[in-house]
Amino acid sequence: MKPSLPGASTDRRTLLRMIGLGAAATVGGSTLAACSKEAGSKGTATKGDAIRAVLPTYKPAELLKADLPGEGPIPGGYLNYPRQLVDAVTEQPGKGGGPIRTMSPWWGPTPPTLGSNSYLAAVNTKLGVEINPSLQDGTTYADKLNAMLGARDVPDLLMVPNWEVDKVARFSDAVKALFEDLSDHLKGDAAAKYPYLAALPTGAWEYSVWGGRLYAVPYPTDGPFAWALFHRKDLLDKAGLAAPTSPEQLYELGKKVTDPAKGVWAFGSIFDMVQQFYGCQQTWRKKPDGGLEHKFENPAFKAALEFTAKLFADGLVHPDTVASKGADEKQLFKAGKILMFQDGLGAWQGLQGEQSKVLPSFDMQPLPVFGVNGGQPVIWGSEKPVFFTFVKKGAGAQRVDELLRVLNWCAAPFGSREFELREYGAEGRHFNRGSDGSPVPTDLGRKELGGQYNFCRPAVKVASADTPNYVQDYLGYHRKNIALMEKDLFAGIKLELPANWSKLLQPTDDKIRDILRGRRPVSDLDQVTKEFLASGGEEGRAFFAKALADNGR
């Protein structure tokens, strides 16, 4: 059960803002990529000191002082668009190399290609080298990625979503065979040559190491929380209903607002958030007497399962969610057909901005996080990047330098002309300025701009005319709840998971889904847990425990 993919829209800014975390997708089989890892793969864990040895030295590169400064994994926020921009890159990145082929996932209409796209022409002119991007449908990206890795035919720059990595058989072997080792180019003070790459957070770089070597440039997350439980605050306020502060109140609220005759149900998918309300860990936690406990063994998981299964049994969940693995809950939420659903926080600004143009009163907000019976909730999260960008192996030092200079340009911070050009295109063609100075996309901008240059980016939150309160709300939610975020036992350790563990995840998820929907009784959780542990869960426990022990944890 993973965060949902961003929905399609003709507004590129909406799409970018909706990319929080991505949904899991299945990868087809080959020697380098398969739907599950090959039997016999025991997994590896790279120690923290080996990872730290190849990381860039972090040096912040903020051109403008944030109105709401970031702290830790929380990004900085800007309430106004700057009237004066600066040149962040004074030397053209291109160094005479040939065209650069790229491949990236994209959720939305495919923009025109090179030669018929003035946005590409404008950015390539600034880069001084021709980028020839290939945007592939994000919903089927795994298939394209699988075929490419299997054929060992990769572009100069390849973006891989984080949710695909663990599904690729022997991914570390593919990395070593097909992609450039960037360690000597970027480790330590060497990264100062690319200042905007050096400004990417260390927590994101830690995940970009395979086998003790740095192989990718990260696209950092813009907030560490995996989920929020969003509600239609405008509709609840109109009905005089307050936000719930306990599971009992959540259930009673669901009963009050569900009205099948009017096509309205309280809930879409909310199980992952319910687990957090009940204080259940995302995967593993340490037991007081030593060892690791999987969440299926935690009574809090069973309690969360029982509660959520009751929502399904009592008809409080929309039929589309009941009947499928992936109802279009964003559309149901916008239409007022469901009043609550969970999603990645990256979906918030896009949905709010898009729908406020249709319904000015539209107001989506995350429910306040609450515990159960006086207990402490937890919030799941990490600094894992959304995407990794790899450089094709064998390019030579000069070409690698050119590609890193291009990536450095693409990572230029907010307040720069480079950021504006990458994000909005050329003024007067792809956007015009609103009364507050912020870019307003034109029809051509919506048509021509996709994720063509989003290989990496500075994490930042910027207000817009259609979401004037978003930055304060977003950062306020994180600051209020950051102390509740579950400690990542494995932070700074690079895990490549055992085959038997990876193969278990989807079948077990399907069994839990059946329990939620009433196709199996809640009492079957004991049997599901027993099967899970016998088929690879215990092997996983030993693997994860050893990784902790090897790192002195």
Side-chain angles (χ1 to χ4, degrees):
M1 298 173 191
K2 299 284 190 268
S4 61
L5 288 166
S9 166
T10 56
D11 187 337
R12 173 178 177 271
R13 290 191 303 152
T14 296
L15 277 162
L16 294 178
R17 295 184 305 200
M18 293 171 83
I19 298 176
L21 298 175
T26 301
V27 183
S30 79
T31 57
L32 283 180
C35 64
S36 59
K37 296 191 175 185
E38 294 182 359
S41 172
K42 300 299 182 182
T44 62
T46 303
K47 293 184 178 180
D49 55 357
I51 292 174
R52 290 188 291 272
V54 296
L55 297 182
T57 299
Y58 174 71
K59 293 184 179 180
E62 190 177 61
L63 298 181
L64 299 173
K65 184 178 180 180
D67 298 302
L68 300 172
E71 49 186 291
I74 304 174
Y78 296 86
L79 304 181
N80 299 288
Y81 198 84
R83 295 286 183 171
Q84 297 293 326
L85 302 177
V86 301
D87 290 318
V89 179
T90 56
E91 185 179 353
Q92 203 171 50
K95 289 294 183 180
I100 297 172
R101 293 192 307 124
T102 74
M103 190 176 93
S104 310
W106 180 243
W107 292 266
T110 303
T113 55
L114 189 66
S116 56
N117 187 319
S118 62
Y119 168 66
L120 298 181
V123 178
N124 287 348
T125 297
K126 287 294 183 182
L127 290 173
V129 63
E130 184 178 274
I131 301 286
N132 187 359
S134 173
L135 297 185
Q136 299 294 323
D137 183 356
T139 60
T140 59
Y141 195 71
D143 298 330
K144 184 70 174 180
L145 180 65
N146 165 56
M148 181 170 282
L149 294 178
R152 297 177 176 247
D153 179 19
V154 297
D156 300 292
L157 297 174
L158 175 68
M159 289 186 73
V160 179
N162 75 46
W163 56 92
E164 303 296 354
V165 169
D166 289 340
K167 298 173 182 291
V168 177
R170 297 183 296 164
F171 188 75
S172 60
D173 292 343
V175 167
K176 294 171 187 176
L178 301 178
F179 303 118
E180 194 72 32
D181 182 345
L182 303 175
S183 305
D184 293 339
H185 297 272
L186 293 172
K187 69 179 180 182
D189 292 338
K193 186 176 182 180
Y194 315 101
Y196 304 123
L197 298 185
L200 299 178
T202 298
W205 283 108
E206 288 178 345
Y207 289 92
S208 305
V209 175
W210 281 265
R213 304 296 290 175
L214 186 65
Y215 276 99
V217 174
Y219 179 106
T221 179
D222 57 5
F225 297 166
W227 295 106
L229 181 52
F230 288 105
H231 70 294
R232 284 290 301 272
K233 187 175 185 300
D234 55 321
L235 297 181
L236 293 188
D237 286 351
K238 185 178 180 179
L241 298 172
T245 59
S246 69
E248 293 77 18
Q249 290 183 15
L250 183 63
Y251 176 81
E252 290 302 322
L253 179 62
K255 289 181 64 176
K256 289 178 181 177
V257 301
T258 297
D259 188 347
K262 294 182 179 179
V264 176
W265 284 262
F267 305 111
S269 301
I270 68 167
F271 181 48
D272 293 274
M273 281 304 302
V274 171
Q275 292 176 61
Q276 294 170 67
F277 294 157
Y278 275 83
C280 185
Q281 72 271 27
Q282 187 167 10
T283 307
W284 298 104
R285 71 174 181 178
K286 286 186 175 181
K287 296 188 290 187
D289 58 349
L292 291 176
E293 173 197 76
H294 190 268
K295 71 176 178 180
F296 292 171
E297 302 169 299
N298 184 347
F301 179 83
K302 185 173 184 179
L305 185 66
E306 288 177 332
F307 175 82
T308 313
K310 182 174 175 59
L311 302 182
F312 278 89
D314 291 355
L316 306 183
V317 179
H318 195 282
D320 288 1
T321 297
V322 175
S324 74
K325 290 187 177 182
D328 192 347
E329 293 184 345
K330 289 185 175 72
Q331 293 298 327
L332 295 173
F333 184 74
K334 289 190 296 184
K337 301 299 183 182
I338 57 175
L339 271 63
M340 284 169 272
F341 83 122
Q342 67 184 27
D343 205 344
L345 280 143
W348 188 357
Q349 188 175 21
L351 280 175
Q352 177 63 44
E354 179 185 21
Q355 194 62 14
S356 65
K357 299 171 186 175
V358 179
L359 181 67
S361 62
F362 182 87
D363 186 12
M364 67 180 290
Q365 294 287 332
L367 279 181
V369 178
F370 54 78
V372 176
N373 296 326
Q376 183 90 321
V378 300
I379 293 182
W380 301 344
S382 80
E383 292 185 66
K384 192 171 189 177
V386 184
F387 305 106
F388 300 100
T389 296
F390 294 91
V391 174
K392 183 179 181 179
K393 188 173 184 177
Q398 186 172 348
R399 179 65 161 179
V400 172
D401 174 63
E402 182 177 44
L403 294 171
L404 290 176
R405 288 165 62 89
V406 167
L407 294 177
N408 180 69
W409 187 97
C410 293
F414 178 69
S416 69
R417 292 186 176 89
E418 292 82 1
F419 181 99
E420 181 175 88
L421 178 60
R422 188 201 73 230
E423 187 75 8
Y424 302 104
E427 183 175 2
R429 176 177 286 271
H430 303 108
F431 73 88
N432 296 310
R433 296 199 186 276
S435 59
D436 62 352
S438 63
V440 178
T442 63
D443 289 342
L444 182 65
R446 291 186 176 93
K447 175 183 177 183
E448 292 194 340
L449 274 71
Q452 295 102 321
Y453 299 94
N454 292 316
F455 308 112
C456 50
R457 57 98 187 254
V460 64
K461 286 295 169 184
V462 183
S464 62
D466 53 6
T467 59
N469 301 316
Y470 165 74
V471 172
Q472 300 96 313
D473 290 346
Y474 182 95
L475 297 181
Y477 181 80
H478 277 82
R479 288 174 175 168
K480 181 178 180 180
N481 296 306
I482 192 67
L484 296 173
M485 193 168 85
E486 179 184 18
K487 181 181 178 181
D488 184 356
L489 298 177
F490 305 95
I493 305 172
K494 184 57 180 287
L495 301 173
E496 297 175 48
L497 303 178
N500 288 336
W501 173 268
S502 296
K503 288 162 60 178
L504 274 177
L505 300 183
Q506 190 59 55
T508 305
D509 186 64
D510 290 341
K511 295 174 185 178
I512 298 298
R513 192 185 304 274
D514 285 343
I515 293 175
L516 285 171
R517 284 156 174 74
R519 295 191 285 263
R520 297 179 65 164
V522 173
S523 60
D524 272 11
L525 175 62
D526 293 339
Q527 181 63 29
V528 171
T529 301
K530 182 178 179 180
E531 294 168 355
F532 171 79
L533 294 175
S535 302
E538 290 293 1
E539 180 183 336
R541 194 197 310 269
F543 168 79
F544 286 105
K546 183 177 186 302
L548 292 177
D550 288 348
N551 283 271
R553 304 181 192 179

